[in-house]
Amino acid sequence: MTKNNSKLNICVFCGARPNFIKVAPIVRLLDKMQTEGKEKENMSCSMVYAGREDDPTLEDQLFSDLSIRRPDAFLGVECKNLNELTGQVMAKFESYLQNHPTNVVIVVDDLASTMAAAIVTKKQALTLVHLAAGTRSFDITMPKEINRLVIDGLSDILFTAGLSNNSIANKEGAELSKVYMVGNILIDNIRFNRERMAKLDIHKMLAFEKLGLSPKNYLVFTLNRQALINDDANLLAMLKSLLKKASQITIVAPLRKMAAEKVITLIRENQLKTDNLHIINPLGYLEFGTLLANAKGVITDSGNVAEEATFDNVPCITLNRYTEHIETVKNGTNVLVGEDATELGRFLDDMLADKWKAASIPDRWDGRSAERIVQILIEHCS
């Protein structure tokens, strides 16, 4: 692994809002070590964001809730075409690395921007670290699956969340010495913020106050996956099933603009009865975590939400045919229904009747993933 100098200069690259949630525990720990510990003179940590500084998804509250600073640099890339986005990120991130001393680049998950940053990192002969490595859908037609294969293949260090991810990485040729099962980094945030969440008065939260919610007497519905949002027929079928089966319980849906507009349009065009469905603006990290922890159940297409639900022991239905973290299904509260409205209805019956499967917390969901990651980086890259 190439080292530019004796100082360990770590660059944390984020391509989208969810990435900040995953890297927050690492950034918090590195910043603490810099300001308080013996590593003050031997380590630096910078955060780079692929998008613009005025990105509306990066509200100040996100960073406040995560107890981290805003990114040190914004590449300013904003385009929908993935090939164009990849090219722009490569050009701008290369320029950043050439002007900022860096030994190690940490990339997260499987976005096109993540792949672009990974390629540039290796072209600059720097150490590439992949957080949440070894995740696969085994569908090569998915752009993200290509990204995962490329990023894992290029990475010098692969940090995985569970044994299944380790197995995938090893089967694809990654050396055992490169792969480390560090646990689920998202859980570090939940454990870190548990006390702060407990202090939140849920009855004074906007959603609770406006909707008159009470714990374990409502469902949460989230929608983010572009493929499902763009498929009107499938989404309509899922909405019909949800609204029919859960007609006697409040459904709270914190949706971003594109998802909210599509759901509202389908409801109006098909004259669906939605007295119990409340679409609200997206919540801050702590507020959403509190809303989820107190829910009777959650219906989502987000792997991150499914992981949080497992930790909180909240029944979870995922509108996808696969999950990057199979332990949420094997050990946790999660079930996969794909885009099958009948299956959604069947599991909603179980959820509402409190007939959910027994669940447990998966291995290494102990809130110490960041500690393991930083220790490995110090040992291997200093």
Side-chain angles (χ1 to χ4, degrees):
M1 299 180 186
T2 302
K3 304 177 181 66
N4 291 341
N5 50 51
S6 59
K7 186 173 182 177
L8 181 57
N9 297 308
I10 299 172
C11 173
V12 178
F13 179 90
C14 293
R17 185 183 193 275
N19 290 171
F20 288 103
I21 299 172
K22 287 192 175 180
V23 303
I26 300 172
V27 173
R28 282 196 302 266
L29 181 55
L30 288 172
D31 283 355
K32 182 179 180 182
M33 292 173 68
Q34 276 183 263
T35 57
E36 298 178 7
K38 62 182 179 180
E39 301 293 340
K40 182 175 181 180
E41 303 300 326
N42 299 317
M43 181 186 298
S44 71
C45 172
S46 62
M47 271 197 301
V48 175
Y49 179 53
R52 293 167 39 175
E53 191 167 1
D54 61 353
D55 185 332
T57 69
L58 301 189
E59 69 277 11
D60 288 339
Q61 187 180 351
L62 171 67
F63 299 99
S64 173
D65 285 350
L66 294 173
S67 295
I68 61 172
R69 52 195 159 85
R70 289 182 67 85
D72 302 286
F74 296 81
L75 301 185
V77 176
E78 185 183 50
C79 53
K80 292 184 178 180
N81 183 285
L82 293 181
N83 291 329
E84 183 182 348
L85 181 147
T86 301
Q88 286 191 27
V89 171
M90 287 182 69
K92 293 187 176 185
F93 191 49
E94 181 179 52
S95 176
Y96 173 86
L97 290 177
Q98 289 173 345
N99 289 282
H100 296 81
T102 304
N103 311 93
V104 179
V105 176
I106 301 175
V107 297
V108 194
D109 289 337
D110 50 21
L111 302 171
S113 55
T114 309
M115 181 184 68
I119 292 171
V120 169
T121 298
K122 293 312 297 175
K123 285 188 173 184
Q124 296 292 310
L126 304 174
T127 298
L128 176 64
V129 178
H130 189 197
L131 180 60
T135 60
R136 297 289 183 274
S137 66
F138 303 104
D139 181 355
I140 203 66
T141 64
M142 291 179 60
K144 285 188 176 182
E145 188 75 352
I146 304 294
N147 299 343
R148 293 165 184 153
L149 289 165
V150 172
I151 299 164
D152 278 356
L154 291 174
S155 293
D156 299 292
I157 298 176
L158 295 92
F159 289 131
T160 67
L163 285 174
S164 61
N165 308 121
N166 265 43
S167 177
I168 289 168
N170 293 144
K171 283 180 180 178
E172 292 178 357
E175 298 173 17
L176 287 171
S177 59
K178 294 170 58 176
V179 184
Y180 299 88
M181 192 184 91
V182 294
N184 191 333
I185 194 77
L186 283 178
I187 307 308
D188 287 33
N189 280 323
I190 298 176
R191 290 188 182 275
F192 174 80
N193 283 306
R194 208 171 209 181
E195 226 175 89
R196 296 168 73 194
M197 287 183 180
K199 289 178 181 177
L200 282 179
D201 185 342
I202 58 175
H203 296 292
K204 290 183 179 178
M205 283 173 51
L206 181 61
F208 276 82
E209 191 174 50
K210 284 182 68 176
L211 304 177
L213 303 178
S214 58
K216 304 304 176 185
N217 199 31
Y218 62 90
L219 301 180
V220 173
F221 172 54
T222 78
L223 180 64
N224 293 285
R225 193 158 54 91
Q226 203 64 48
L228 183 53
I229 294 172
N230 291 339
D231 190 334
D232 287 10
N234 265 341
L235 182 55
L236 177 60
M238 307 301 272
L239 287 172
K240 284 182 176 179
S241 181
L242 172 62
L243 293 169
K244 178 182 178 181
K245 293 290 185 177
S247 61
Q248 301 303 308
I249 189 170
T250 298
I251 304 170
V252 184
L255 302 180
R256 295 202 174 274
K257 184 179 179 181
M258 186 178 297
E261 289 176 349
K262 176 57 68 73
V263 169
I264 291 169
T265 297
L266 290 175
I267 287 171
R268 286 175 178 168
E269 289 179 349
N270 295 275
Q271 299 181 334
L272 302 181
K273 186 179 179 182
T274 59
D275 294 345
N276 63 319
L277 174 65
H278 300 279
I279 297 174
I280 63 174
N281 291 328
L283 299 172
Y285 176 77
L286 291 181
E287 283 199 325
F288 180 79
T290 305
L291 184 77
L292 177 61
N294 286 279
K296 186 178 184 68
V298 59
I299 301 90
T300 185
D301 60 359
S302 165
N304 290 358
V305 172
E307 293 166 54
E308 291 191 41
T310 280
F311 184 81
D312 291 326
N313 198 32
V314 173
C316 177
I317 297 172
T318 296
L319 309 180
N320 211 338
R321 64 182 182 276
Y322 80 96
T323 175
E324 290 91 347
H325 298 289
I326 194 63
E327 61 268 27
T328 63
V329 177
K330 288 183 175 180
N331 304 93
T333 61
N334 189 23
V335 296
L336 306 176
V337 301
E339 294 171 6
D340 187 326
T342 302
E343 280 290 278
L344 171 59
R346 183 168 73 86
F347 281 107
L348 275 169
D349 284 339
D350 290 345
M351 180 182 284
L352 295 169
D354 295 321
K355 295 179 179 178
W356 211 249
K357 61 179 179 175
S360 61
I361 301 295
D363 188 29
R364 294 205 177 183
W365 284 34
D366 56 3
R368 301 186 64 184
S369 295
E371 292 176 32
R372 289 187 276 269
I373 288 168
V374 170
Q375 186 59 43
I376 291 166
L377 290 178
I378 291 172
E379 290 175 359
H380 284 257
C381 305
S382 295

